[in-house]
Amino acid sequence: MRIPIIAGNWKMNNTISESLALVDGIKSNKLDEEVEKVVAVPFTSLSEVKKALEGTDIKLAAQNMHWEDSGAYTGEVSPLMLKEIGTDYCIIGHSERRQYFNEIDESVNKKIKSALKHGIKPIVCVGETLEERESGKEEIVVKEQVLKALEGVDKEDIKNIVIAYEPIWAIGTGKTASSDDANHMCGFIRKTIGDKYDENTKESVRIQYGGSVKPSTIKELMSKEEIDGALVGGASLVAGDFVKLVNY
Ligand code: 13P
């Protein structure tokens, strides 16, 4: 059985005090214990949010990391730094990082391996552009992203990885992929992983959908066989909405 996982990606939103207010808002509600809950907060808020999450079962994520433990990489944050704070997950290869910060499949792969080495669970983002979808290339693009991301990653480590299928055209646009399309692509990713590893790995890997997920669309998405969770941007910034997403 795959445990559902709902993650809020706050992106570049919330100062420390705003982060704490949002966590307070989330914590003051009853959250489904059978759903894994994750908040991916800005680097500056990680430490304080970690303390605020003590005594809850909400997990903490970073939104990016460097693959090296330390060194002359001005402005970067290392897995050791994240680990010391007690960061459970790290989003890796988000399309906004690919689009605006030159993130490429090779660096995504290095970051995944480094995160795994340090006991941080990667949430690996893949997804096609509108142009790629309109020309019918979504499977080719996503398969290549998945295979390059997982190059050299052992089968045993896949249980610690979450894949997030986030079609770029659906992010922040209000256009959600239809639940059937999202289910199809999550199934396609699962098959890709099954072909690379084996049947057990295929059945156990958790795959999220992301892209304009809202309280009004979550139930339908989560009813689909291949969709194990959601990676949510905008709606995760409102405590009440995040609570509704978790309690779908
Ligand atoms: P939105 O939910 O705002 O479309 O963002 C999705 C996303 O990019 C989550 O990582």
Side-chain angles (χ1 to χ4, degrees):
M1 242 268 301
R2 300 189 294 265
I3 297 169
I5 175 167
I6 304 290
N9 174 11
W10 295 2
K11 307 192 180 184
M12 197 177 72
N13 293 292
N14 293 330
T15 62
I16 296 173
S17 55
E18 288 164 346
S19 299
L20 292 176
L22 180 47
V23 168
D24 263 356
I26 295 170
K27 279 197 320 187
S28 63
N29 289 272
K30 175 128 185 58
L31 298 170
D32 190 334
E33 286 166 14
E34 284 169 19
V35 173
E36 191 173 1
K37 303 156 277 285
V38 183
V39 285
V41 313
F43 287 132
T44 45
S45 294
L46 281 169
S47 267
E48 291 299 319
V49 168
K50 180 70 190 179
K51 286 180 215 152
L53 291 177
E54 251 168 52
T56 76
D57 62 351
I58 304 171
K59 308 271 175 62
L60 181 67
Q63 300 172 11
N64 182 36
M65 54 170 257
H66 198 277
W67 58 85
E68 293 286 354
D69 291 359
S70 61
Y73 301 101
T74 303
E76 291 290 320
V77 171
S78 90
L80 289 181
M81 298 168 187
L82 298 181
K83 196 65 202 160
E84 191 178 275
I85 293 169
T87 309
D88 306 288
Y89 284 91
C90 185
I91 297 176
I92 293 179
H94 192 279
S95 66
E96 286 150 15
R97 296 220 55 87
R98 295 180 191 254
Q99 191 178 352
Y100 306 128
F101 303 101
N102 300 322
E103 185 83 84
I104 53 172
D105 290 326
E106 286 70 20
S107 49
V108 168
N109 176 252
K110 283 186 192 169
K111 290 176 181 188
I112 292 169
K113 287 179 183 158
S114 170
L116 289 167
K117 188 176 103 189
H118 290 288
I120 297 169
K121 296 176 179 171
I123 298 176
V124 182
C125 301
V126 297
E128 79 285 355
T129 62
L130 184 59
E131 197 186 352
E132 287 159 348
R133 172 153 287 254
E134 283 178 343
S135 53
K137 294 203 188 97
E138 65 274 15
E139 290 190 354
I140 298 168
V141 170
V142 167
K143 181 174 181 179
E144 178 160 318
Q145 287 174 338
V146 170
L147 291 178
K148 285 194 168 163
L150 298 180
E151 213 172 284
V153 174
D154 292 341
K155 186 175 80 175
E156 291 67 40
D157 280 326
I158 300 296
K159 63 176 180 304
N160 293 320
I161 292 182
V162 176
I163 308 276
Y165 168 63
E166 298 206 307
I168 293 167
W169 49 270
I171 295 178
T173 57
K175 278 188 207 164
T176 318
S178 73
S179 55
D180 285 337
D181 279 347
N183 188 53
H184 171 80
M185 288 304 290
C186 290
F188 175 75
I189 292 168
R190 193 176 304 288
K191 179 181 179 314
T192 303
I193 289 174
D195 292 346
K196 176 174 166 69
Y197 297 99
D198 56 24
E199 191 63 22
N200 268 349
T201 312
K202 174 182 169 193
E203 289 309 320
S204 59
V205 66
R206 289 188 294 173
I207 305 177
Q208 296 174 307
Y209 166 76
S212 297
V213 176
K214 301 272 178 300
S216 57
T217 54
I218 187 79
K219 200 174 172 65
E220 162 85 12
L221 287 163
M222 292 304 287
S223 72
K224 296 291 174 183
E225 172 123 14
E226 305 289 357
I227 302 177
D228 304 314
L231 182 56
V232 186
S236 75
L237 296 171
V238 178
D241 283 355
F242 185 69
V243 170
K244 283 185 197 148
L245 292 167
V246 167
N247 295 338
Y248 66 88

